Amino acid sequence: LSGTPVQNDLDEFYSMVNFCNPAVLGDERRFHRTYAHPILKGREPDATDAEQARGEERGQQLGAFCHHFILRRTNTILSKHLPPKLVQVVCV
């Protein structure tokens, strides 16, 4: 699987991880309670300092935990091994 779901949507991230490694993050409700809600609440413009700190902490915990089974390769690394990107527009 590829993409950057943790940067885009935590539900997508949960679905991807749960598909590849079922139940490692618990059920969806637990994932939301433990990680998604605190992370998203901490990113809100009106979040308190405590909410921001808690969201940052949970984000770091999630990243550290998932680092054990997710191999992340950046474009800098991949571009050395992949052909140039080709964009084709097809009108139907």
Side-chain angles (χ1 to χ4, degrees), residues 52-73:
Q52 290 176 2
R54 183 172 185 229
E56 181 66 28
E57 177 186 351
R58 292 296 169 90
Q60 289 179 2
Q61 288 174 352
L62 180 61
F65 178 72
C66 293
H67 177 72
H68 296 289
F69 56 86
I70 292 179
L71 175 61
R72 179 159 183 185
R73 294 186 175 141

